[in-house]
Amino acid sequence: MSIQAAAANTLTLFMCGDVMTGRGIDQILPHPSAPEIYEPYVSSAYEYVELAERANGRIDKPQSFSYIWGDILPELERHRPAIRIANLETAVTTSDEAWPGKGIHYRMHPRNVDCLTAAALDCCVLANNHTLDWSREGLAETLRVLREAGIKTAGAGDRLADACEPARFKLSDRQRLLVFACGSPDSGIGVGWEATEYRSGLWVIDDLNACAIEQIGRRIESERRRGDIVVMSLHWGGNWGYEVTREQQRFAHQLIDKAGIDIVHGHSSHHPRPIEVYRGKLILYGCGDLLNDYEGIGGYERYRSELGLMYFPEIDRETHQLVRLTMSPTCIRRLRVNLAQRNDAQWLAATLSRECAPFGTSLRLQPDGDLALKWQHDVEAIA
């Protein structure tokens, strides 16, 4: 088979974990929000800029919209993904109505939305624990601003039916990519954030159980057409640690076995977590942060959360199985994401290979600096 024919039979995606363009990052962009925030120890978002500058040097302001992407934009072009998917972990709003009782509120000014279009993002997943930081008014504005910027969303909406709708992408006359998104309360999603028949909010699953699988399966079956490739983007679990619980693994397997999911796109952790290939389908248990404003904040150095991954899964368009997974290692410095140095890429490969071993997978550093996933066999389904 020729290279051209092989490419025609596969679909390459770009996927990443949390993209947080609020707070300190918003302050260095051309249209910063009012800096007042309501955290226990910090009252101004600009203090996060100062932390980053103390750690890694001065940041001129304002920066261009593309500044935050450092040198990774050519990397996106090199891999040529058909669709670009990110978990957007900030509200895009001018709302001043901070959600009461919540310790951290992320907000980016709507006039800074061009920082997202600078990376040509196609889909922003919103079922996470920061989308409603600035109230339902902020959610409504976020949805409107992203829609007007030409970015599709999943996981949030004016009613539950809207929040459960997928982002739809036409791949051919006979095939679409569907991106569904939901969140689990264990990721920090607030009480009362779930969408209902009568109010806006997020698609929230109460627990990782059979009822949630059945609910997800019904939503997918009501939408799926023959040939569609289906992604479930799932905001779940805590911020730190590599452990994948038995409950999480069982749930991911059942998403594939019973709900017909082709890719499980997990996020919430601030650093990459293990990767599994189950019955030929990709499970990303936690993609880690691609971009945040945490520079200079101590406490979890052993996880090296400044390091991240850009995920480029290649999927067989007939079988919907994983053909290959290539990852580009990244590093956040001076409130921008750049390609990581080779020694950092080696650290990521070694650390994740150790954590992926129970799942029959490992990561290899390639001569071009990419990481490649290797897998030997499927892990048995958990009863």
Side-chain angles (χ1 to χ4, degrees):
M1 182 183 294
S2 69
I3 294 175
Q4 291 83 358
N9 290 331
T10 61
L11 171 70
T12 299
L13 303 174
F14 164 64
M15 311 181 85
C16 66
D18 299 356
V19 171
M20 201 290 281
T21 54
R23 210 167 58 179
I25 292 173
D26 179 62
Q27 293 300 304
I28 68 168
L29 292 174
H31 307 288
S33 304
E36 290 78 16
I37 54 177
Y38 308 100
E39 299 180 10
Y41 305 107
V42 178
S43 59
S44 170
Y46 196 78
E47 293 184 50
Y48 288 93
V49 180
E50 294 172 340
L51 279 170
E53 289 182 324
R54 284 201 291 271
N56 289 312
R58 178 180 170 79
I59 303 169
D60 292 332
K61 296 165 279 290
Q63 288 289 344
S64 69
F65 293 120
S66 61
Y67 168 85
I68 62 174
W69 305 112
D71 60 6
I72 72 167
L73 296 183
E75 192 73 0
L76 282 166
E77 294 304 317
R78 179 171 74 89
H79 286 277
R80 300 178 64 186
I83 309 294
R84 304 181 184 195
I85 305 166
N87 177 54
L88 180 62
E89 190 146 76
T90 186
V92 185
T93 182
T94 57
S95 170
D96 290 322
E97 188 180 343
W99 192 276
K102 193 171 188 292
I104 296 176
H105 305 86
Y106 294 159
R107 172 177 58 178
M108 178 177 76
H109 196 285
R111 292 175 66 192
N112 285 333
V113 72
D114 285 346
C115 75
L116 303 179
T117 59
L121 295 180
D122 296 296
C123 178
C124 283
V125 172
L126 300 179
N128 60 59
N129 59 313
H130 288 287
T131 307
L132 267 79
D133 279 358
W134 296 89
S135 75
R136 288 189 163 83
E137 176 188 336
L139 171 61
E141 188 172 14
T142 299
L143 291 167
R144 177 180 58 79
V145 170
L146 293 175
R147 181 175 62 250
E148 291 176 354
I151 301 172
K152 296 185 180 182
T153 62
D158 294 334
R159 300 289 186 270
L160 178 59
D162 302 318
C164 294
E165 273 199 25
R168 305 174 183 91
F169 298 93
K170 183 178 179 180
L171 303 175
S172 70
D173 289 340
R174 296 182 297 172
Q175 190 172 51
R176 301 177 299 170
L177 177 75
L178 305 179
V179 181
F180 292 85
C182 62
S184 172
D186 65 359
S187 69
I189 290 174
V191 175
W193 284 27
E194 66 276 8
T196 71
E197 185 180 350
Y198 307 104
R199 73 179 183 202
S200 65
L202 314 180
W203 184 6
V204 179
I205 53 172
D206 292 333
D207 209 344
L208 305 180
N209 56 23
C211 290
I213 293 292
E214 183 179 349
Q215 177 191 7
I216 291 169
R218 285 197 306 269
R219 296 285 180 180
I220 291 170
E221 284 309 306
S222 69
E223 173 69 30
R224 189 204 309 263
R225 300 175 189 166
R226 181 180 179 84
D228 287 345
I229 297 173
V230 182
V231 173
M232 173 51 77
S233 193
L234 182 60
H235 203 67
W236 63 346
N239 294 148
W240 305 103
Y242 297 107
E243 181 189 8
V244 174
T245 68
R246 188 177 180 85
E247 180 185 34
Q248 288 172 329
Q249 188 179 29
R250 181 187 295 113
F251 191 77
H253 288 186
Q254 290 181 343
L255 284 173
I256 293 166
D257 289 340
K258 297 184 178 180
I261 297 297
D262 297 310
I263 302 176
V264 178
H265 172 219
H267 36 81
S268 179
S269 58
H270 288 325
H271 55 86
R273 298 179 73 215
I275 302 168
E276 182 178 4
V277 180
Y278 171 70
R279 296 187 175 172
K281 305 296 179 72
L282 176 63
I283 302 173
L284 301 170
Y285 282 105
C287 289
D289 290 355
L290 183 67
L291 181 65
N292 60 43
D293 68 349
Y294 304 160
E295 278 177 86
I297 301 173
Y300 294 93
E301 287 85 353
R302 70 188 183 94
Y303 294 109
R304 301 210 56 192
S305 62
E306 77 278 10
L307 301 181
L309 291 170
M310 304 167 69
Y311 298 81
F312 297 97
E314 190 174 337
I315 309 301
D316 187 294
R317 291 178 62 157
E318 293 297 324
T319 67
H320 300 185
Q321 295 199 334
L322 182 69
V323 175
R324 64 179 57 85
L325 174 62
T326 304
M327 293 153 281
S328 299
T330 62
C331 182
I332 302 168
R333 185 180 173 88
R334 297 175 66 232
L335 300 182
R336 71 196 309 202
V337 56
N338 282 300
L339 294 176
Q341 298 296 314
R342 191 167 183 85
N343 62 324
D344 292 329
Q346 289 171 332
W347 184 90
L348 278 168
T351 301
L352 288 174
S353 290
R354 180 192 70 213
E355 300 300 332
C356 286
F359 302 92
T361 56
S362 62
L363 280 69
R364 307 270 181 85
L365 180 59
Q366 307 298 104
D368 62 3
D370 285 343
L371 301 182
L373 184 73
K374 305 296 181 183
W375 65 95
Q376 297 122 8
H377 57 80
D378 285 341
V379 177
E380 290 298 318
I382 296 178

